[in-house]
Amino acid sequence: MISGTRLKILMVATEAVPFAKEGGVADVIGSLPAELAKLGHEVCIFMPRYGIVDPMRWGLKPTGFVGTWQGRPASVMRTTLPGTPVVVYLLDQDEFFGRHRQIYLGLDQRDEQRRFILFCRALLDALPALGFAPDIIHLNDWQTAPCAAYLRTSYGHLLRHGAARIVYTVHNLQYQGRWDISILDEAGLDPAQVFTRSGLEFWGDVNWMKAGLMYADVVTTVSRRYAEEIQTLDYGWGLDEVLFQRHSRIFGIPNGLDWDTWNPATDSDLAVQYTAAEAPAAKVRNRTALREEFGLPDDPELPVVGIVSRLVDQKGFDLVAAVAAELGNLPLQLVVLGSGQSHYEQLFRELAARTPNVRARIGFDGALSRRIYAGADFFLMPSSFEPGGLGQLIALRYGTLPIVHATGGLADTVTDLDADPHAGNGVAFTSYAAPALLDALRRALNLYAQRDRWPGLVERAMAYDSRWSASALAYSQLYQRVLRLPLM
Ligand code: ADP
């Protein structure tokens, strides 16, 4: 135990690697509990069992706990997070989870809310029967926020007169879970208690994200900058005032990266594996292989800029579209891997068809993504907003310099090399505008042209410490602190 007391922590989430993943939250829930366990805490994860979570493959065992909610029978299964002592409980309910292979069936639909309301209620009922009395109930995103409303009302006994506290993490404020007041009836929550300004009422609707923000003892987000940004009009998605009222209880704790999963020295998908010392030469060989894969000429004068991303509005591709005409004239090659909104898929298809130095692969391909992280010289991530961001951390780990819009987690992790030549690890632009992106690309090219300086920059990128251990310690300290805060 590094500091403080051993705590019982319940982590409630909708996704966790390796069982079910759609976004970055799965990486967090798959890594953070194991790190907290290393610090001496007893951690359990509670999540739904979707159809993709195979009971045989993961050795799921019945706990014996069964019940019926909203007329639907459900039970709780149990396993452990592979290679760790972390116990994972999975709610098994066929109609809402088991028969679906997808995690999310549709945003803000009534049925979607019913699924996760049932999940929350069932897990709170199960806790005493499973013999787990948590000190910290850590909720993640709107789908788990109904737990907070229950814990402040009919399930208050689980907080054991203030012996237990609620932590709520916002992974992406954009997705809030809104519906009309009728959903409260189904949830079995009394509108007189919760449908208030200081509760979950929001412009006449129920807003589960707001429930999490108002009812948690502390709120966290996945970078320090994003914790500040969401309290402003530009990034608050309408909840900025609510967040600002609670600002003394909002903390930013950066996400870490799993250094075993992302390790260029052991990555079997690469043409050449490499340590930091081997990186300058090995990256050139990986780049040659990558160019071959994409049919690009192997010109050492041109750096390769990589993009690996969901192709959605958040990720800043409207800026790339705005500089499309100039891209062909820049001495670089652009390699894109992504899928998402059809107009962005179309943008990159067209760009690749008419620009000789641009190539695009539309789809999701984990192995190819690794070859891009390894073979590229720069990694472009011009997100308009970015709560945490994994892409830039993976790029640094693979010795690839990130070019980013300085927002959220990107601002916290990437330091501009022109602003700080001695500690910088990438290129960052502050104004979200096409000329700023173009300027950043030109500055990157200028860095690449400094051939004697370049190997040192690659080495510095790889030395950036994004491991989970520091973040887990920050969560551990926050848990100890929230237990000392006055009761809400
Ligand atoms: P977000 O969670 O908003 O999508 P992050 O940067 O936090 O953004 O995480 C994105 C993760 O998904 C990274 O691991 C990235 O490599 C991966 N990824 C995104 N798109 C693809 C793709 N088309 N193929 C393979 N991996 C992808």
Side-chain angles (χ1 to χ4, degrees):
M1 188 84 219
I2 290 180
S3 67
T5 42
R6 178 182 163 88
L7 300 176
K8 289 186 180 207
I9 300 158
L10 173 69
M11 192 67 76
V12 184
T14 53
E15 323 177 15
V17 166
F19 306 109
K21 165 167 175 167
E22 193 161 308
V25 61
D27 296 290
V28 177
I29 307 304
S31 303
L32 175 61
E35 294 291 331
L36 290 167
K38 282 187 206 158
L39 293 175
H41 300 301
E42 185 182 345
V43 194
C44 280
I45 298 172
F46 219 119
M47 63 183 285
R49 190 192 74 78
Y50 311 97
I52 38 169
V53 185
D54 178 7
M56 297 289 281
R57 177 173 177 205
W58 300 111
L60 307 190
K61 304 263 178 333
T63 59
F65 180 80
V66 291
T68 300
W69 294 269
Q70 299 162 12
R72 294 177 175 85
S75 65
V76 175
M77 316 273 273
R78 178 194 155 113
T79 185
T80 51
L81 198 60
T84 78
V86 174
V87 172
V88 182
Y89 291 113
L90 299 106
L91 185 80
D92 203 18
Q93 207 291 320
D94 182 62
E95 182 188 342
F96 278 175
F97 301 109
R99 72 171 69 155
H100 303 286
R101 296 193 64 77
Q102 313 98 291
I103 298 178
Y104 309 110
L105 302 181
L107 202 66
D108 284 0
Q109 301 301 307
R110 187 187 188 94
D111 284 346
E112 195 75 334
Q113 304 220 350
R114 294 162 95 187
R115 295 170 74 213
F116 292 107
I117 286 168
L118 181 143
F119 168 65
C120 290
R121 225 171 163 179
L123 82 87
L124 293 175
D125 279 333
L127 277 188
L130 298 171
F132 192 71
D135 301 301
I136 298 291
I137 300 175
H138 189 154
L139 309 173
N140 293 276
D141 277 347
W142 76 260
Q143 296 88 345
T144 67
C147 288
Y150 286 125
L151 287 164
R152 295 295 177 208
T153 55
S154 43
Y155 288 78
H157 55 280
L158 294 177
L159 296 176
R160 296 179 285 121
H161 307 289
R165 299 299 169 90
I166 306 170
V167 176
Y168 179 61
T169 297
V170 179
H171 295 267
N172 193 334
L173 191 65
Q174 184 180 4
Y175 309 118
Q176 299 182 356
R178 284 177 72 168
W179 198 257
D180 64 55
I181 189 173
S182 66
I183 198 79
L184 293 181
D185 196 27
E186 282 189 56
L189 285 162
D190 178 3
Q193 281 186 298
V194 296
F195 198 69
T196 61
R197 279 192 65 178
S198 58
L200 50 69
E201 186 273 335
F202 185 69
W203 295 97
D205 279 339
V206 168
N207 181 324
W208 294 112
M209 174 65 79
K210 187 177 173 225
L213 300 177
M214 298 307 286
Y215 293 135
D217 291 282
V218 291
V219 174
T220 78
T221 68
V222 293
S223 69
R224 289 186 196 92
R225 178 72 74 100
Y226 192 63
E228 288 165 24
E229 284 173 346
I230 57 176
Q231 299 177 49
T232 67
L233 188 61
D234 284 350
Y235 293 92
W237 297 99
L239 286 168
D240 40 292
E241 280 306 314
V242 171
L243 283 152
F244 184 62
Q245 282 166 32
R246 298 225 65 204
H247 76 268
S248 66
R249 296 283 184 115
I250 299 176
F251 300 85
I253 300 181
N255 277 344
L257 182 73
D258 183 336
W259 272 30
D260 295 328
T261 305
W262 298 100
N263 183 358
T266 58
D267 193 328
S268 56
D269 288 313
L270 309 189
V272 186
Q273 299 168 350
Y274 56 96
T275 60
E278 297 156 347
K283 278 186 69 68
V284 169
R285 290 172 60 196
N286 279 308
R287 187 176 66 185
T288 301
L290 182 68
R291 283 170 161 159
E292 219 169 276
E293 196 167 350
F294 275 95
L296 285 165
D298 193 13
D299 182 344
E301 297 299 313
L302 305 179
V304 168
V305 178
I307 290 178
V308 177
S309 183
R310 291 186 295 128
L311 301 181
V312 296
D313 288 332
Q314 174 194 342
K315 300 296 178 178
F317 299 120
D318 51 336
L319 291 191
V320 177
V323 303
E326 271 93 349
L327 276 177
N329 302 322
L330 292 174
L332 56 77
Q333 294 170 330
L334 180 66
V335 163
V336 182
L337 169 64
S339 62
Q341 292 170 341
S342 55
H343 58 284
Y344 291 124
E345 294 188 349
Q346 195 54 21
L347 164 76
F348 284 112
R349 277 200 193 98
E350 281 173 17
L351 207 55
R354 64 165 195 261
T355 324
N357 58 339
V358 178
R359 292 286 188 279
R361 193 72 56 82
I362 303 303
F364 191 97
D365 186 336
L368 179 57
S369 80
R370 290 166 178 276
R371 292 195 287 278
I372 294 175
Y373 287 117
D377 301 288
F378 295 100
F379 186 77
L380 180 59
M381 204 162 161
S383 311
S384 61
F385 73 96
E386 192 61 73
L390 273 181
Q392 84 281 16
L393 298 181
I394 302 170
L396 287 166
R397 174 88 169 124
Y398 281 63
T400 303
L401 272 61
I403 303 171
V404 303
H405 173 225
T407 183
L410 298 173
D412 280 0
T413 52
V414 179
T415 304
D416 185 82
L417 269 157
D418 286 331
D420 190 345
H422 299 293
N425 59 2
V427 179
F429 59 97
T430 42
S431 147
Y432 187 75
L437 169 60
L438 213 47
D439 179 63
L441 288 171
R442 293 209 172 97
R443 292 194 295 117
L445 289 167
N446 185 38
L447 286 168
Y448 181 74
Q450 301 172 39
R451 299 315 300 156
D452 47 343
R453 194 180 172 204
W454 186 255
L457 297 183
V458 170
E459 201 178 320
R460 192 188 296 167
M462 289 183 76
Y464 182 82
D465 191 350
S466 56
R467 278 172 291 191
W468 263 107
S469 36
S471 306
L473 191 59
Y475 277 108
S476 178
Q477 286 164 345
L478 181 66
Y479 295 150
Q480 321 266 356
R481 188 168 167 193
V482 67
L483 286 164
R484 294 194 303 270
L485 285 174
L487 278 182
M488 268 186 62

